[in-house]
Amino acid sequence: MKIDQLLQGIATTKFDLTIEGLCLNSKFVQSGDVFIALQGDKNHGADYIQQAIDNGCAAVLIDSSAVECGVPTIRIEHLADHLPALVNKFYPKAAQVEVIGVTGTNGKTSVAFFTSQLLNKLGVNAGFIGTLGITNNSQKSNNTTPDIVTLYRALDEYAQNNINVVVLEVSSHALAQQRIQGLNMTQAIFTNFTQDHLDYHQSLEQYKAEKLKLFQLDSLKSVSLNTDDASFTDFSAAAGNTPQFNYAMADFEDIKTTQYGFIVQLDGFVFELAFLGEFNLMNILSAYNALKARNFSSEQIIPLLHQLKAPTGRMHKIDRHLAWVDYAHTPDAIEKAIITLQTHYPEHNIRVIFGCGGDRDQTKRAKMGKIVSKLASTIILTDDNPRSEVPRQIISDILNGIDDSYEVDIIEDRQLAIETGITTLKENECLLIAGKGHESEQHYQDKTLAMNDIDIANNA
C-alpha cells in the first residue's frame, strides 16, 4: 500500500512510498514497516526510532514534533486516536476473523488455551493470542493482549492462512486502552474477579468497569459467565440481552479427588481429568461451556477433555520432585494454588517460594504475605521482577503481612532460592514456586536476566 493511501483522510504527505506493514514496537519492526512512535507508559516511541530504522522501517509516524532521522517522518496530531482507522485500512482481513474474548483476574490463559485446543480437536482452525504468545503466526507480543496494531496484523495473517477463529485473552489494560476496538468479537467469557492491577486502575470499581466493557459489545452473539463468582450479577447485567451460557461448579454431578487430578461426572459422563486444583475444573468447565455455546454437543466435547494439555507454567509439575511452578501472582491465585496442593497431598507440608513484582499494585503484597503464612508451613521470599523498585523494600512490604513469630527465609537471588527450595525439600513436603510461571526473564532497574523457574527447578 502507498503511504498516501494509508493516510487518506488523516494527513497529507508528499512522500511516495510503498509500505509493507505497521508496527508500534521498535523491537518487532520488519523491513518496509511504518513505525508508529507514540507516548508509552514511561517512554516515547521517538526514543526508539533508531532501533526501528536498524530493523528496516521505511517511515515514521509521530504524534509530537517531527524528528530528524534517516527515513521520512510524518507528524500527525492526535495520532493515537487514528490507530483504529489506520489498522482497519491496512489490515482489512482482520475483521473477517471471529474472536472469542476471555477476561477475568485469574484463569484467562488456561481457559483461552483449553478453548483453542478443543476447537482444533473439533476440526476448527483456531488460533490463540495471550500471555503465552501468538500461535501459528509470525507476530510477537510481550503483553497479555497485544497492542492494537500487532493484534490487527496477527488477525490479518490468520485470515490469509484460513484461521478464522481466534481465542484472545483480553486484559483490563487492553479494554482501557481500546486495543480491541473494531474486532469481530462474537463470544465473551468471564472467569472471575478479584484484586489485581490497582497500580493502573486505582480502584476495584474502575478495574471492574474496564472488564465489563467486553460484555457490552454489540457484536457479541453469546457470553459465558461464572455464576459462582461474587461479581456474576454485574457481568450478567452488562451483557444485557446477549444470550448467556453460564457455568458453575455444581454443573459437575460428582467430583472425586485423586493424587493426579480428579474423576468427575458431567452431563452423565464419568471421566478423569489429570489437572490439580478445583480452579482447573472451573477453567475446563468454562472452555467446555464455551464450546457448547457454539452448538457442539457433550458427546463431541467430553471425550476430548482428557486430552487437554495445561499451558506452560500453570501448576507445572517439576520432574523428580513434588514441586510445581505456577503463575499465581495475586492474593486469590496464590491462595488457590496452595489449597490445591493441600487437597491433593493432604499428608504433606507446603513450602512456598514467592515474591511480588515491582512497579505494580503494592497493596497486594502484605495480603499475599498474610495468606501464604496462614496456609504454608515454610516460606522463602525472593525477587519477582523488581523492575525499578528496590528488591528488599518489596520483600519488606510482604513481611508486613506476616506475623513476627513466623520464620521466613529470605533469598533475594531467585535462582538460588529455587535451587535451595528444591535441594532441601523433605519427603513430607510439596513445593510451590509462585509468581512467574512461564516467564523467561527477570527484570531489574539496570538489567534483565535470562531466568525460567521451570528450567531452574528441573536442573536443581
Side-chain angles (χ1 to χ4, degrees), residues 295-342:
N295 295 318
F296 290 101
S297 67
S298 300
E299 289 78 8
Q300 290 174 292
I301 307 167
I302 285 179
L304 303 174
L305 296 182
H306 78 280
Q307 300 176 23
L308 290 173
K309 295 182 179 179
T312 303
R314 272 62 178 176
M315 290 307 290
H316 187 112
K317 176 70 170 60
I318 297 303
D319 300 336
R320 301 181 292 111
H321 302 284
L322 285 183
W324 287 260
V325 169
D326 192 70
Y327 192 54
H329 59 277
T330 67
D332 180 68
I334 203 165
E335 179 177 20
K336 287 179 177 175
I338 298 170
I339 290 173
T340 289
L341 294 180
Q342 290 174 332

Side-chain angles (χ1 to χ4, degrees), residues 383-400:
D383 290 349
D384 180 346
N385 292 326
R387 301 184 178 90
S388 70
E389 291 195 57
V390 177
R392 196 72 182 196
Q393 181 58 52
I394 296 174
I395 289 174
S396 178
D397 291 342
I398 298 171
L399 287 170
N400 286 335

Side-chain angles (χ1 to χ4, degrees), residues 12 27 122 159 169-170 205 207 220 274 290 328 333 340 349 366 392 400 433 448:
T12 58
K27 291 192 296 185
L122 289 163
E169 289 185 59
V170 183
E205 291 74 21
Y207 175 39
L220 292 176
T340 289
N349 294 324
R392 196 72 182 196
N400 286 335
I433 304 166
T448 297

Side-chain angles (χ1 to χ4, degrees), residues 165-223:
V165 179
V166 170
V167 190
L168 172 69
E169 289 185 59
V170 183
S171 68
S172 56
H173 291 71
L175 290 160
Q177 297 166 12
Q178 299 184 320
R179 296 182 207 165
I180 65 167
Q181 186 172 335
L183 296 186
N184 182 24
M185 189 78 65
T186 60
Q187 265 186 286
I189 301 170
F190 166 63
T191 61
N192 50 64
F193 182 81
T194 60
Q195 179 180 334
D196 201 10
H197 302 307
L198 295 191
D199 55 302
Y200 183 83
H201 299 293
Q202 302 302 311
S203 70
L204 278 173
E205 291 74 21
Q206 186 56 41
Y207 175 39
K208 183 184 289 185
E210 298 299 344
K211 292 284 190 187
L212 292 172
K213 289 178 181 177
L214 179 63
F215 300 86
Q216 298 166 335
L217 296 175
D218 293 335
S219 59
L220 292 176
K221 296 178 181 177
S222 70
V223 299

Side-chain angles (χ1 to χ4, degrees), residues 209-385:
E210 298 299 344
K211 292 284 190 187
L212 292 172
K213 289 178 181 177
L214 179 63
F215 300 86
Q216 298 166 335
L217 296 175
D218 293 335
S219 59
L220 292 176
K221 296 178 181 177
S222 70
V223 299
S224 298
L225 309 175
N226 174 8
T227 63
D228 287 340
D229 192 86
S231 295
F232 161 73
T233 54
D234 294 327
F235 285 85
S236 180
N241 295 324
T242 303
Q244 296 186 22
F245 296 81
N246 300 330
Y247 62 97
M249 188 63 77
D251 293 347
F252 288 106
E253 291 124 30
D254 190 35
I255 301 173
K256 289 185 173 64
T257 303
T258 72
Q259 195 174 51
Y260 306 103
F262 300 93
I263 296 173
V264 300
Q265 183 174 346
L266 178 64
D267 286 348
F269 294 84
V270 177
F271 54 98
E272 186 173 6
L273 292 171
F275 294 90
L276 300 188
E278 285 195 356
F279 62 87
N280 262 324
L281 289 184
M282 286 297 285
N283 292 337
I284 292 170
L285 188 62
S286 178
Y288 169 71
N289 187 67
L291 270 292
K292 291 190 74 174
R294 299 180 69 85
N295 295 318
F296 290 101
S297 67
S298 300
E299 289 78 8
Q300 290 174 292
I301 307 167
I302 285 179
L304 303 174
L305 296 182
H306 78 280
Q307 300 176 23
L308 290 173
K309 295 182 179 179
T312 303
R314 272 62 178 176
M315 290 307 290
H316 187 112
K317 176 70 170 60
I318 297 303
D319 300 336
R320 301 181 292 111
H321 302 284
L322 285 183
W324 287 260
V325 169
D326 192 70
Y327 192 54
H329 59 277
T330 67
D332 180 68
I334 203 165
E335 179 177 20
K336 287 179 177 175
I338 298 170
I339 290 173
T340 289
L341 294 180
Q342 290 174 332
T343 300
H344 291 273
Y345 293 87
E347 305 299 322
H348 289 65
N349 294 324
I350 310 299
R351 174 182 294 181
V352 180
I353 298 173
F354 81 106
C356 287
D359 302 335
R360 299 295 186 267
D361 179 8
Q362 296 183 9
T363 66
K364 70 181 182 181
R365 295 172 184 173
K367 293 178 182 178
M368 291 176 68
K370 182 176 182 179
I371 288 168
V372 177
S373 63
K374 294 289 186 184
L375 296 174
S377 299
T378 56
I379 295 173
I380 299 176
L381 290 182
T382 190
D383 290 349
D384 180 346
N385 292 326

